[in-house]
Amino acid sequence: MKEVPIIDVATAAQMVKDGDTILQGGFGMTGNPVHLMHALAETGTKNLTFIGNNVGEVGIGGGRLLRNGQIKKMIGSFFTSNPDAVKAAQSGQVAYELLPQGTLAEAIRAGGAGIGGFYTPTSAGTLIAQGRETKIIDGTEQVFIKGIRGNVAFIRAWRADTAGNLQYRMTEQNFNKAMATAADLVIAEVEEIVPVGEIAPEHVHTPGCFVNYLVQATLTLEDLGSSASVSSSKKVDESRMNMAKRALAELKKGDVVNLGIGIPTLVADLITEEHGIILHTENGMLGVGPVPTDGGGAMNYPVNAGKIPVTALKGSSYFDSADSFAMIRGRHIDAAIMGGLEVDEAANLANWAVPGKPLLGVGGAMDLAKGAKRLIITMTHTNPDGSSKIVPACTLPLTASGVVDLVITDLAVFAFPENKLTLIELMPGATLEEVKAKTSASFVEQIA
């Protein structure tokens, strides 16, 4: 049986050369090879192309490389979680390429499988697709995405045996599993290294043939950044909770449902075992339960797409990000409940970017908007300046076209029967006159 060399973090960091493309596993700081990244930050290595879902957090993980000026370009799906990354990109200090989360995961999986690229409906008709080849396949516009490979991959697993077989813990598979296949040199940071044979074959997630070196490094709470613990204080105003309750009423027993961040996450607090609803999170989990009541964090619990520690219900399962988005694009998700910035008369959605604002990340929104069987948007009816969010035509960058099935605001519920924006319900305390006054879009009234 192969024996993989065990090295220290400093030795591993020296294997990255100036100008290399480096893949970094992790979702936020969960499953993040933080010790390897910090060792790399101690070197003089520069002009790196960084590929990962996000560039760590401020001063942690990839965020430390960014602060040091070691990154010349970053490719990822959600930079907003690190203000330093947003500032560096928007100022032109660092070049960047933004990809939808599922597209990024699949591009890495393709690169690792020796596939040159693929077509996907995700991002068609949006700013993300500009400059990319497109074609119509089975009547649907699809965007060509090239496979991604790197010179070096830094990944994080929970256990390894001396043959390099890896086992991940809970939602820590995320991008790690695909990245282990997609680089010329793969270095796995692990919590524990055991003799070969101690990880049962059926528990091996990444076979040792993909791994070149092992590094043992112990996680601390500080390494987990914002996922280290759960805050017990959570105040929710009545109007937001009303939107969550109304969204829950649209779900039925047995539905597989993905909840976006913001108002949609409140739906999770309302779901009971009797509802029989299976929550999906795009970073790799089915069967998401409520947040832990003991204040524990990602050291002891899985995390959701908001990087918040959650519990696992009976029958839950874990998988990697590529498989998670295969579920989404393959239309195995019955409903997605997402936030919105604008919805228009043609059921178009804008929810990921506002020109001039410190936002830089689409995450899984484009994949979910295209792939979920039903899309429900929850949002406040107006912006802080009083302008309508339900508009004749979206002016903000589009997430997807013609995808919205239902809009729930603090004032009203709209649907699209016969492809026409239709008011079907008033929310508690709202009047028809108020809805008309605060809605710039034209709509049909069909209130029971």
Side-chain angles (χ1 to χ4, degrees):
M1 181 63 72
K2 164 187 174 182
E3 187 166 329
V4 173
I6 302 170
I7 58 176
D8 60 33
V9 291
T11 301
Q14 292 296 332
M15 294 181 178
V16 181
K17 306 303 181 188
D18 286 354
D20 273 355
T21 293
I22 182 165
L23 305 178
Q24 180 224 266
F27 184 82
M29 299 308 299
T30 303
N32 191 300
V34 62
H35 301 90
L36 285 171
M37 298 305 293
H38 288 177
L40 183 58
E42 295 297 318
T43 70
T45 309
K46 58 186 183 300
N47 294 324
L48 298 172
T49 296
F50 174 97
I51 300 175
N53 184 58
N54 53 284
V55 192
E57 296 183 6
V58 175
I60 307 177
R64 194 167 291 188
L65 300 183
L66 186 67
R67 187 179 62 185
N68 289 350
Q70 292 172 274
I71 297 174
K72 70 171 183 180
K73 182 178 182 180
M74 50 191 186
I75 301 172
S77 83
F78 197 76
F79 300 132
T80 303
S81 56
N82 185 343
D84 285 350
V86 178
K87 183 178 179 180
Q90 295 184 337
S91 69
Q93 178 186 344
V94 175
Y96 71 94
E97 182 179 347
L98 195 60
L99 291 172
Q101 193 177 130
T103 299
L104 176 64
E106 194 64 28
I108 295 167
R109 178 156 68 175
I115 296 171
F118 58 93
Y119 286 92
T120 174
T122 300
S123 80
T126 75
L127 291 176
I128 301 293
Q130 287 186 356
R132 298 186 184 276
E133 178 191 344
T134 63
K135 67 167 53 178
I136 304 298
I137 301 175
D138 294 333
T140 300
E141 184 181 9
Q142 304 212 22
V143 181
F144 181 75
I145 303 294
K146 189 175 180 292
I148 289 176
R149 284 190 63 87
N151 301 108
V152 181
F154 281 174
I155 63 172
R156 171 86 193 181
W158 192 245
R159 299 175 82 210
D161 66 21
T162 51
N165 296 309
L166 304 181
Q167 180 180 14
Y168 303 102
R169 183 186 66 145
M170 298 184 292
T171 48
E172 293 176 359
Q173 291 186 49
N174 50 64
F175 283 85
N176 286 302
K177 189 176 173 183
M179 286 183 173
T181 72
D184 302 327
L185 182 69
V186 177
I187 303 174
E189 173 186 312
V190 299
E191 189 77 11
E192 179 184 19
I193 301 173
V194 299
V196 67
E198 285 203 16
I199 302 177
E202 62 268 28
H203 295 155
V204 172
H205 298 121
T206 293
C209 66
F210 293 113
V211 179
N212 299 105
Y213 294 95
L214 295 173
V215 169
Q216 191 278 324
T218 302
L219 278 180
T220 67
L221 285 176
E222 290 73 23
D223 298 327
L224 295 172
S226 60
S227 295
S229 62
V230 177
S231 172
S232 57
S233 59
K234 187 175 183 181
K235 295 182 180 179
V236 181
D237 65 62
E238 186 178 4
S239 65
R240 290 168 66 89
M241 190 54 73
N242 282 341
M243 286 186 268
K245 290 176 181 176
R246 182 61 184 81
L248 176 60
E250 292 294 316
L251 308 180
K252 61 183 186 298
K253 192 169 186 176
D255 276 353
V256 177
V257 179
N258 183 287
L259 302 177
I261 58 176
I263 296 170
T265 60
L266 300 177
V267 178
D269 297 334
L270 301 172
I271 293 174
T272 66
E273 193 172 332
E274 288 69 33
H275 284 105
I277 293 164
I278 305 159
L279 293 183
H280 168 273
T281 181
E282 56 259 40
N283 57 305
M285 182 179 180
L286 270 177
V288 179
V291 298
T293 56
D294 60 7
M299 194 75 81
N300 306 108
Y301 294 98
V303 301
N304 64 15
K307 304 176 184 68
I308 303 299
V310 293
T311 54
L313 301 179
K314 290 180 181 178
S316 294
S317 57
Y318 302 117
F319 32 88
D320 79 330
S321 294
D323 281 348
S324 186
F325 281 94
M327 295 176 189
I328 293 168
R329 288 190 306 272
R331 300 189 70 78
H332 303 288
I333 306 301
D334 295 298
I337 304 175
M338 297 167 55
L341 296 173
E342 287 181 337
V343 173
D344 69 18
E345 295 173 13
N348 300 324
L349 170 67
N351 81 338
W352 69 278
V354 178
K357 294 291 182 69
L359 299 173
L360 193 66
V362 65
M366 289 185 178
D367 301 275
L368 283 159
K370 284 285 190 180
K373 294 177 184 175
R374 192 156 187 251
L375 181 61
I376 300 168
I377 302 302
T378 58
M379 63 182 187
T380 56
H381 202 91
T382 61
N383 292 300
D385 65 0
S387 59
S388 177
K389 290 186 176 183
I390 301 179
V391 295
C394 289
T395 59
L396 295 175
L398 285 183
T399 302
S401 302
V403 292
V404 179
D405 295 292
L406 196 74
V407 184
I408 301 170
T409 77
D410 48 330
L411 300 180
V413 181
F414 294 88
F416 292 86
E418 299 179 358
N419 298 317
K420 294 180 180 178
L421 178 66
T422 303
L423 174 65
I424 62 171
E425 187 178 325
L426 295 173
M427 292 293 280
T431 66
L432 180 58
E433 291 70 26
E434 183 181 16
V435 172
K436 287 180 176 180
K438 294 182 176 180
T439 307
S440 63
S442 298
F443 58 87
V444 176
E445 295 174 33
Q446 202 174 85
I447 302 175

